[in-house]
């Protein structure tokens, strides 16, 4: 075991009083970076190869345990997903205890115990540590893989993959990795419904036998324990674990494209474009470039004060946030700069990304940026030391990453030594603006025309097309529309589909009551709308109004957090379009812009105004989606609402399911009641 590892005590700097007069007109010279005093944790190995690290910390009567495998990455191929299923089945009972008895025992002890495809973790009170350690060992050494639990895990996985088919962010990340590393690389392959269907219980058992070996395993125990007691307990529970050889690494080499290109994935349901500039890099934590690249990435895209965030969000308002990350890995890693942006600014956002990456490559960062990045990295590091588990993680990294014994002792010094010249040097080496894949998952009909016209530095950026399985495909072609189709014909078909013109025109008012769950909290919605264009909407939580909007046809207000804010002109125009429960009765300036996919089906896209587009199923005629664009707080948001589950109320059909997304949040309102021509009065729309 390497020396001088960790039970950390950070040296605090004390103020020293001096009699000399201080010249406050001069900025004091920065002192040396604080040094971290690192001591060695207690470590021992079992005969079967299991490496154990113990960090005693008696501040709280708690113990945290982590069992991890340092296995080489490996391709699962046509069995992709077997590792995840194996991890899912661990903890579903053992050879000695049923699933229910096992879970009941964990609950009785008030502990947390989880199993993964790469190990296990637990957290418990110190007095229950021996029992929880025994349960962890039982789950790892004596798993009971049953056909019943296997079938349940397969069903859950298939449901997840099915529900993720239209998840733009999920598919963007998956394709990005596949293109960067290659689908034959462990970091680039992904499970599909087909590969999951290929799996059997025998595959899980074989995976466990192959990769769950103490030869590459590390057990880290941190907390209120005695090292001698831990040694006896671990030997008693884990010595019977039989050692078996783990297959050697066989990882394909990775490479980057010869010139920067756009790799586009058409997601017809996308209301935002997922953009990621990605290139593979060869960077290990032990490399001399590690600390300079930490600083460079912090300046470029490491948070709310970084260049990407300030440019794309604060300056241009294209996104909720733009970030970058630079990985480090023994086998392969990537540099990624990414953001979710509005469709209409997709091409402009690509330019903004390239501008910032070229800038940090071609120009030295400022002294203030350098100092700020160092301070943030230093603060993050010092804060992490408050967790005893961090110390154990450092110890394991020194072992598995082949780091110098004093790597973390000198961590802050190494950050402090980084210069502006270092930042520019590593930016040129790792931020490969000339050899990047610009992976974009978005709506082709909205963004592709401008992307194909893009040039940068006088050069055209080529565009390639991929499906969500990272397979190269032909350019998506917009569906041709019958020239006889107009907004009027689409609206008429919709009105016929929900009950006919006579029934719809007899609706003077509609009251909708609905509820949704967001992050475990129940929200109630009451919306009142009238034929003459008045609107009242209240969103409540636990009976308390959280948000209220009222529009009387001419003016309105928004009440939130006790503050009443009058509608601006943009909000008034938006309210006029939403107040009438059936705006389709009046064609006005509406126009059909084409046929697009909504939930896998063709729909006519009808532009009602500059900020509202409705979608109507080409077969049923029903309205299936509305996309609204609005500005707030200097940010422009695109909010989609998907309509489903139409039910008849007094001769007219209404959607009883409204799925809505706002930025990263997604939720579904389930309608409990629709009232037609009742429970509405002028008082509901009083603005003054």
């Amino acid at each position: 075991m390497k020396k001088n590892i960790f039970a950390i005590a950070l040296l605090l700097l004390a103020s020293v009083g001096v009699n000399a007069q201080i010249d406050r007109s001069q900025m004091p010279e920065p002192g040396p970076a604080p040094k971290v005093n690192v001591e060695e944790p207690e470590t021992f190995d079992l005969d079967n190869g299991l490496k154990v690290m113990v960090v005693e910390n008696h501040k709280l009567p708690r113990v945290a345990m982590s069992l991890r495998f340092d296995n080489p990455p490996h391709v699962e191929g046509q069995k992709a997903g077997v590792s995840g299923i194996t991890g899912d089945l661990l903890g579903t009972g053992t050879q000695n205890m049923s699933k229910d008895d096992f879970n009941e025992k964990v609950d009785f002890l008030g502990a947390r115990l989880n199993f993964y495809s790469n190990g296990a973790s637990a957290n418990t009170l110190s007095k229950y540590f021996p029992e929880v350690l025994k349960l962890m060992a039982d789950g790892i050494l004596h798993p009971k893989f049953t056909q019943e639990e296997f079938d349940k895990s397969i069903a859950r996985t298939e449901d997840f993959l099915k529900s993720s088919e239209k998840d733009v962010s999920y598919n963007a990340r998956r394709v990005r990795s596949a293109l960067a590393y290659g689908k034959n690389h462990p970091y680039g392959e992904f499970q599909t419904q087909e590969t999951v269907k290929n799996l059997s219980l025998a595959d899980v058992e074989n995976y466990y036998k192959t990769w769950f070996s103490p030869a590459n395993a590390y057990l880290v125990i941190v907390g209120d324990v005695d090292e001698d007691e831990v040694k006896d307990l671990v030997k008693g529970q884990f010595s019977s674990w039989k050692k078996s050889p783990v297959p050697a690494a066989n990882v394909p080499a990775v490479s980057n494209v010869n010139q920067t290109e756009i790799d586009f994935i058409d997601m017809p349901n996308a209301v935002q474009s997922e953009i990621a500039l990605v290139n593979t890099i060869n960077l290990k934590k032990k490399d001399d470039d590690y600390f300079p690249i930490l600083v460079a990435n912090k300046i470029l895209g490491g948070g709310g004060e970084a260049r990407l965030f300030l440019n794309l969000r604060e300056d241009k308002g294209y996104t909720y946030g733009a970030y970058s990350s630079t990985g480090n890995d023994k086998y392969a890693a990537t540099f990624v700069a990414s953001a979710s942006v509005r469709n209409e600014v997709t091409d402009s956002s690509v330019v903004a990304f390239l501008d910032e990456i070229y800038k940090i490559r071609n120009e030295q960062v400022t002294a203030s940026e350098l100092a700020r990045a160092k301070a943030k990295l230093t603060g993050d590091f010092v804060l992490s030391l408050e967790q005893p588990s961090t110390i154990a993680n450092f110890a394991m990294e020194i072992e598995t990453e082949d780091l110098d014994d004093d790597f973390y002792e000198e961590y802050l010094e190494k950050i402090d030594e980084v210069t502006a010249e270092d930042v520019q040097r590593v930016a040129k080496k790792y931020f490969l603006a000339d050899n990047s894949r610009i992976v974009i998952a978005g709506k082709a009909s909205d963004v592709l025309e401008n992307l194909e016209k893009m040039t940068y530095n006088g050069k055209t950026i080529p565009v390639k097309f991929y499906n969500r399985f990272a397979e190269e495909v032909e350019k998506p072609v917009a569906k041709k529309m019958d020239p006889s189709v107009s907004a009027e014909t689409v609206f008429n078909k919709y009105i016929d589909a929900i009950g006919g013109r006579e029934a719809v025109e007899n609706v003077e008012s509609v009251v909708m009551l609905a509820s949704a769950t967001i992050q475990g909290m129940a929200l109630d919605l009451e919306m009142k709308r009238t034929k003459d264009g008045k609107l009242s909407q209240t969103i409540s939580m636990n009976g308390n109004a959280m948000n209220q909007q009222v529009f009387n046809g001419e003016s309105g207000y928004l009440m939130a957090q006790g503050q009443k804010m009058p509608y601006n002109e943009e909000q008034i125009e938006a309210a006029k379009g939403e107040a009438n429960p059936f705006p389709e009765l009046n064609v006005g300036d509406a126009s059909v812009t084409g046929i697009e996919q909504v939930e896998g089906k063709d729909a006519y896209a009808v532009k009602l105004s500059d900020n509202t587009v409705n979608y109507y199923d080409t077969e049923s005629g029903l309205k299936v989606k509305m996309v609204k664009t609005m500005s707030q707080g200097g940010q422009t948001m695109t909010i989609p609402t998907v309509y489903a589950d139409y039910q008849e109320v007094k001769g007219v059909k209404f959607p009883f399911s409204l799925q809505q997304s706002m930025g990263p949040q997604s939720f579904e309102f389930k309608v409990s009641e629709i009232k037609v021509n009742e429970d509405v009065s002028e008082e509901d729309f009083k603005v003054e």
Side-chain angles (χ1 to χ4, degrees), residues 321-335:
Y323 306 93
S324 66
S325 62
T326 308
N328 61 89
D329 190 277
K330 290 189 291 186
Y331 302 96
T334 55
F335 161 71

Side-chain angles (χ1 to χ4, degrees), residues 24 58 93 112 122 126 129 139 149 155 177 182 215 219 228 261 321 327 345 353 364 419 426 438 440 450 513 560 594:
R24 299 189 182 276
H58 302 287
R112 291 199 301 270
S126 51
F129 161 64
E149 293 298 333
S177 295
L219 177 61
D228 291 331
E261 66 183 38
V345 296
F353 270 112
Q364 287 190 9
T419 66
V426 296
I438 305 174
I440 302 175
N450 287 339
L513 304 177

Side-chain angles (χ1 to χ4, degrees), residues 458-532:
K459 297 180 180 179
T460 300
I461 303 177
V463 181
K464 294 183 178 180
F465 303 97
Y466 294 86
N467 61 20
R468 61 188 185 88
F469 300 107
E471 299 165 335
E472 191 167 0
V473 295
E474 296 294 324
K475 174 183 173 180
V477 179
K479 291 197 174 184
K480 291 184 178 180
M481 189 175 65
D482 187 328
S484 66
V485 174
S486 65
E488 183 177 7
T489 62
V490 172
F491 286 174
N492 286 340
K493 187 173 182 179
Y494 164 71
I495 291 170
D496 289 341
I498 62 174
R501 185 166 295 273
E502 182 178 353
V504 172
E505 288 182 339
N506 285 334
V507 176
E508 299 293 333
S509 66
V510 175
V511 177
M512 180 180 72
L513 304 177
S515 60
T517 301
I518 303 176
Q519 296 181 341
M521 300 178 292
L523 295 182
D524 295 315
L525 168 67
E526 181 187 67
M527 180 185 290
K528 297 183 179 183
R529 294 184 291 174
T530 68
K531 185 177 181 179
D532 59 352

Side-chain angles (χ1 to χ4, degrees), residues 65-366:
M65 293 164 272
S66 177
L67 177 72
R68 284 176 282 180
F69 297 98
D70 184 31
N71 291 328
H74 44 278
V75 175
E76 297 173 9
Q78 293 303 311
K79 304 287 186 179
V82 64
S83 57
I85 299 295
T86 303
D88 198 29
L89 293 189
L90 289 169
T92 59
T94 73
Q95 301 293 335
N96 304 308
M97 196 178 302
S98 70
K99 174 184 176 181
D100 290 342
D101 289 344
F102 190 91
N103 292 335
E104 184 178 338
K105 182 69 172 177
V106 173
D107 290 342
F108 177 77
L109 296 173
R112 291 199 301 270
L113 176 56
N114 298 296
F115 296 91
Y116 318 99
S117 60
N118 196 39
S121 64
N123 197 301
T124 180
L125 291 172
S126 51
K127 64 180 178 179
Y128 299 132
F129 161 64
E131 293 178 80
V132 176
L133 180 70
K134 181 179 180 180
L135 288 170
M136 175 188 280
D138 194 25
I140 288 291
L141 273 65
H142 311 114
K144 186 176 183 180
F145 300 126
T146 67
Q147 188 65 45
E148 179 184 4
E149 293 298 333
F150 173 81
D151 292 340
K152 290 179 182 177
S153 181
I154 290 292
R156 287 193 297 270
T157 303
E158 289 179 334
D159 286 345
F160 166 76
L161 292 172
K162 180 72 174 175
S163 66
S164 300
E165 287 180 358
K166 298 180 180 65
D167 187 324
V168 182
S169 297
Y170 171 81
N171 285 282
R173 291 191 301 270
R174 188 168 77 167
V175 174
R176 180 181 79 201
S177 295
L179 294 179
Y181 292 109
K183 293 175 68 174
N184 64 336
H185 192 285
Y187 297 163
E189 73 171 354
F190 50 81
Q191 64 181 357
T192 65
Q193 294 191 44
E194 287 70 26
T195 65
V196 171
K197 281 182 169 59
N198 291 336
L199 297 178
S200 66
L201 184 61
D203 293 320
V204 170
E205 293 169 341
N206 289 334
Y207 186 89
Y208 170 81
K209 291 175 183 176
T210 302
W211 296 106
F212 278 65
S213 169
N216 279 11
Y218 291 80
L219 177 61
V220 180
I221 298 174
V222 182
D224 184 25
V225 294
D226 175 76
E227 187 257 336
D228 291 331
E229 179 189 9
V230 169
K231 187 175 293 187
D232 291 338
L233 289 170
V234 170
K235 287 182 177 179
Q237 298 301 328
F238 288 92
S239 291
S240 62
W241 193 2
K242 293 183 179 180
K243 182 178 182 179
S244 59
V246 174
N250 183 21
V251 183
V254 298
S255 60
N256 291 302
V257 291
N258 292 327
Q259 70 174 90
T260 294
E261 66 183 38
I262 293 173
D263 296 333
F264 187 81
I265 308 106
D266 184 24
M267 299 292 293
N269 62 304
V271 296
Q272 294 188 108
S273 293
E274 297 288 335
I275 300 177
L277 282 72
V278 56
N279 60 259
T280 59
I281 60 176
N282 180 15
L283 178 68
K284 301 174 180 61
K285 189 165 282 191
K286 66 179 181 179
D287 292 344
D288 291 339
D289 288 341
Y290 176 72
F291 290 100
I293 204 66
L294 282 183
V295 177
N297 186 75
K298 181 64 70 175
I299 293 171
L300 176 66
E305 295 182 341
R307 291 180 175 186
L308 290 175
F309 193 96
L310 294 175
N311 186 335
L312 278 88
R313 176 184 167 117
E314 299 301 326
D315 181 32
K316 296 182 171 64
Y318 288 167
T319 178
Y320 287 98
Y323 306 93
S324 66
S325 62
T326 308
N328 61 89
D329 190 277
K330 290 189 291 186
Y331 302 96
T334 55
F335 161 71
V336 178
S338 62
S340 300
V341 305
R342 303 194 317 277
N343 289 352
E344 62 269 26
V345 296
T346 300
D347 56 320
S348 302
S349 297
V350 171
V351 172
F353 270 112
L354 290 172
D355 284 346
E356 293 299 345
I357 293 173
Y358 275 111
K359 181 180 178 181
I360 199 170
R361 284 166 54 91
N362 297 333
E363 303 173 14
Q364 287 190 9
V365 299
T366 65

Side-chain angles (χ1 to χ4, degrees), residues 442-639:
K443 186 175 178 180
S445 59
D446 283 0
V447 307
L448 194 52
E449 181 179 358
N450 287 339
L451 286 177
E452 290 189 299
K453 296 177 183 176
M454 271 196 63
T455 61
Y456 195 86
N457 286 340
K459 297 180 180 179
T460 300
I461 303 177
V463 181
K464 294 183 178 180
F465 303 97
Y466 294 86
N467 61 20
R468 61 188 185 88
F469 300 107
E471 299 165 335
E472 191 167 0
V473 295
E474 296 294 324
K475 174 183 173 180
V477 179
K479 291 197 174 184
K480 291 184 178 180
M481 189 175 65
D482 187 328
S484 66
V485 174
S486 65
E488 183 177 7
T489 62
V490 172
F491 286 174
N492 286 340
K493 187 173 182 179
Y494 164 71
I495 291 170
D496 289 341
I498 62 174
R501 185 166 295 273
E502 182 178 353
V504 172
E505 288 182 339
N506 285 334
V507 176
E508 299 293 333
S509 66
V510 175
V511 177
M512 180 180 72
L513 304 177
S515 60
T517 301
I518 303 176
Q519 296 181 341
M521 300 178 292
L523 295 182
D524 295 315
L525 168 67
E526 181 187 67
M527 180 185 290
K528 297 183 179 183
R529 294 184 291 174
T530 68
K531 185 177 181 179
D532 59 352
K534 297 174 183 177
L535 170 70
S536 172
Q537 175 179 295
T538 302
I539 297 177
S540 305
M541 181 185 298
N542 298 325
N544 299 315
M546 307 295 293
N547 180 294
Q548 184 179 32
Q549 299 184 57
V550 176
F551 180 67
N552 64 9
E554 298 295 334
S555 62
Y557 67 84
L558 166 67
M559 179 80 77
Q561 298 180 339
Q563 293 188 348
K564 187 175 182 179
M565 295 165 282
Y567 274 179
N568 58 32
E569 291 184 7
E570 182 182 1
Q571 290 169 320
I572 289 174
E573 288 304 311
K576 287 180 178 179
E578 296 174 24
N580 191 326
F582 305 107
E584 293 82 1
L585 288 171
N586 180 20
V587 177
D589 296 329
S591 61
V592 181
T593 60
I595 297 176
E596 300 180 16
Q597 289 260 303
V598 175
E599 301 296 301
K601 294 184 178 181
D602 288 344
Y604 293 118
V606 182
K607 185 177 181 180
L608 275 67
S609 66
D610 288 340
N611 58 15
T612 304
V613 178
N614 284 351
Y615 296 83
Y616 302 83
D617 189 284
T618 57
E619 293 185 6
S620 69
L622 294 174
K623 179 162 59 180
V624 290
K625 186 178 182 180
M626 176 182 71
V627 176
K628 182 172 66 172
T629 302
M630 60 182 295
S631 298
Q632 186 174 348
Q635 301 296 314
T636 300
M637 299 175 288
T638 303
I639 305 172

